Amino acid sequence: MSSSSLSIQGLAKRYGAFVALAPTDLVVADGEFLTLLGPSGSGKTTLLSLLAGLVPPDEGSVHIGSDDVTYAPPYERDIGVVFQNYALFPHMTIEENIAFPLKMRKVPAADAKRRAREALEMVHLPHIAGRYPRELSGGQQQRVALARCMVYKPSIILMDEPLGALDKKLREHMQLEIKRLHREMGTTIVYVTHDQEEAMTMSDRICLMNAGRIEQLGTPADLYFRPRSLFVADFLGESNILPAALRTRVGDEVEIALGGGGVAGRALANGTDLAPGTPVRVMVRPQNLTVARRPQNAASPDALEGRVSDVMVTGSLTKVYMEPLDRNLPPLVAAFPTRNDADAVRIDDVLTLSWSGRDAVVIADTASAGAGAGAGAAGAA
Ligand SMILES: Nc1ncnc2c1ncn2[C@@H]1O[C@H](COP(=O)(O)OP(=O)(O)OP(=O)(O)O)[C@@H](O)[C@H]1O
Ligand SMILES: [Mg+2]
């Protein structure tokens, strides 16, 4: 059997003058779980449809293992597809719908029936085997579509928001089932979700898309802790983004001057190789900011100090919102596990903020290029 890695080279799709997918390269390893994440309209469904063979590309190629399948019809690709609007056959019962891919593959009827029943158990719908699709709710139809795709164990599965219509509990159950299938069958999965948490917990790697291009591709931790652009830093979770200037490089870290220049700090160079003095942004996640009472008798000129503007105890986390005393710096938020002295921090307290150099990253300051731009076809790697 051939490898079920997926690779695309220079793959592009336009609708008239509109670029839905700029020329894109991507390799999904055999057995990998890759999630496409990104704002609405960024090209996620377009990319999946090109992989599945549901729309033809304008340029570029698609390979499965070493086979060029760029122009192969969908049924000649060993790819299972679960799209949100991928309809079930209306004239077949649910059991017949699920057994259909097996029938097409010449699995004996009794065997197909047993496996269809098992698949229905897996999606918690054993009681609806004899019904027709129109007799199911949207979420139930979605689960049947999942069962129908999983039942014949294709070596690659593409899923476009397959859990979108499910409530939280079912969603979590199905996340586990999909992960189990992935682990046990070694299925290569390309998954689309709007849910960042789902993307972070399910994926080996996340491909963050923006305006028809790949903005950054990496492990969840890469994207979360080492974003390469403001767009990525901003898109995933809460972040503090501070204007800074580079001073000197110290190994893989740099010394930085913040705000008006009076406050020093450190951050990971994050692959940037900019000259001292270059204005940059520095990103620190709220949980990596440490807040402390300032020392009794000395405001060190190097300390970043701020006035507490709000305190929120959100169950397990306490969030402290601060206005830096240096007016050149934007408001910041720090988060830490709630302790039983959580009420010790009060509004208007002046506290000192600090972080470890390893927990902050330098991001090249491309603010003027803006998150929404993207008309440029530069396609930087
Ligand atoms: N058949 C089409 N004709 C014209 N434009 C299209 C067509 N299909 C998609 N587009 C456009 O291509 C862009 C990318 O669409 P796509 O469906 O890939 O986005 P998406 O990332 O899946 O968004 P969402 O998160 O909303 O599902 C959108 O601006 C969309 O309007
Ligand atoms: Mg879509």
Side-chain angles (χ1 to χ4, degrees):
M1 212 183 119
S2 69
S3 149
S4 41
S5 63
L6 258 178
S7 65
I8 63 175
Q9 293 89 26
L11 196 68
K13 183 69 190 173
R14 289 180 294 274
Y15 291 106
F18 179 78
V19 178
L21 185 70
T24 297
D25 296 344
L26 174 67
V27 176
V28 187
D30 193 357
E32 181 171 15
F33 196 117
L34 181 98
T35 296
L36 305 180
L37 195 64
S40 183
S42 57
K44 305 178 298 291
T45 298
T46 301
L47 177 50
L48 273 200
S49 308
L50 290 165
L51 293 174
L54 299 172
V55 299
D58 291 308
E59 288 169 40
S61 63
V62 182
H63 285 79
I64 297 179
S66 54
D67 297 336
D68 187 335
V69 298
T70 312
Y71 297 101
Y75 56 85
E76 279 178 14
R77 308 180 184 201
D78 184 20
I79 292 184
V81 176
V82 186
F83 279 7
Q84 206 163 19
N85 56 358
Y86 207 67
L88 301 171
F89 303 118
H91 58 285
M92 290 185 197
T93 66
I94 297 308
E95 186 179 295
E96 287 164 353
N97 259 284
I98 296 174
F100 183 76
L102 297 173
K103 195 173 155 193
M104 295 305 289
R105 286 166 178 75
K106 312 261 188 288
V107 174
D111 208 14
K113 189 179 170 74
R114 181 184 53 79
R115 282 166 64 181
R117 292 281 173 159
E118 281 171 10
L120 273 176
E121 296 270 351
M122 188 189 74
V123 296
H124 286 193
L125 291 173
H127 55 288
I128 56 129
R131 288 204 214 161
Y132 288 88
R134 63 174 181 279
E135 297 167 338
L136 303 187
S137 73
Q140 288 169 334
Q141 291 186 35
Q142 205 167 38
R143 280 185 279 162
V144 171
L146 264 175
R148 186 177 62 176
C149 171
M150 290 173 170
V151 75
Y152 69 97
K153 305 186 170 74
S155 48
I156 300 171
I157 299 184
L158 311 177
M159 301 188 182
D160 199 349
E161 302 192 47
L163 311 181
L166 306 185
D167 62 53
K168 187 163 184 287
K169 201 160 170 210
L170 247 163
R171 198 178 169 96
E172 282 168 3
H173 167 75
M174 290 310 304
Q175 286 173 358
L176 289 174
E177 286 296 342
I178 292 170
K179 278 302 273 183
R180 190 169 63 86
L181 173 98
H182 172 246
R183 212 171 36 243
E184 290 175 3
M185 306 297 157
T187 317
T188 305
I189 296 184
V190 184
Y191 193 87
V192 173
T193 179
H194 267 112
D195 183 335
Q196 286 179 28
E197 219 169 288
E198 187 167 286
M200 302 276 289
T201 56
M202 307 264 296
S203 321
D204 295 318
R205 288 189 302 165
I206 295 175
C207 177
L208 183 52
M209 302 196 55
N210 179 22
R213 292 177 307 106
I214 296 179
E215 183 80 23
Q216 189 171 344
L217 174 65
T219 62
D222 279 339
L223 269 72
Y224 187 77
F225 289 112
R226 293 173 291 281
R228 289 298 177 91
S229 63
L230 290 175
F231 178 85
V232 179
D234 222 32
F235 192 83
L236 283 182
E238 233 177 337
S239 57
N240 294 297
I241 297 174
L242 304 166
L246 291 184
R247 281 184 182 162
T248 48
R249 184 149 185 153
V250 190
D252 59 353
E253 293 182 22
V254 282
E255 263 177 19
I256 48 175
L258 291 170
V263 181
R266 280 207 178 190
L268 281 177
N270 200 27
T272 49
D273 193 14
L274 303 166
T278 309
V280 292
R281 302 298 180 104
V282 168
M283 188 211 70
V284 198
R285 295 292 176 187
Q287 67 272 33
N288 290 333
L289 274 181
T290 304
V291 291
R293 300 259 156 225
R294 67 174 157 174
Q296 284 271 297
N297 49 11
S300 133
D302 262 353
L304 172 48
E305 294 183 305
R307 190 178 302 280
V308 175
S309 58
D310 211 347
V311 182
M312 266 172 46
V313 180
T314 66
S316 57
L317 274 187
T318 296
K319 290 186 177 179
V320 177
Y321 293 84
M322 315 251 302
E323 295 284 349
L325 300 188
D326 180 339
R327 284 292 163 188
N328 296 300
L329 294 173
L332 299 173
V333 55
F336 47 83
T338 301
R339 300 180 294 256
N340 37 18
D341 63 349
D343 55 356
V345 175
R346 298 246 162 74
I347 291 176
D348 281 340
D349 283 357
V350 174
L351 304 174
T352 300
L353 283 157
S354 60
W355 63 82
S356 140
R358 308 220 66 79
D359 290 334
V361 292
V362 168
I363 300 175
D365 193 345
T366 51
S368 49

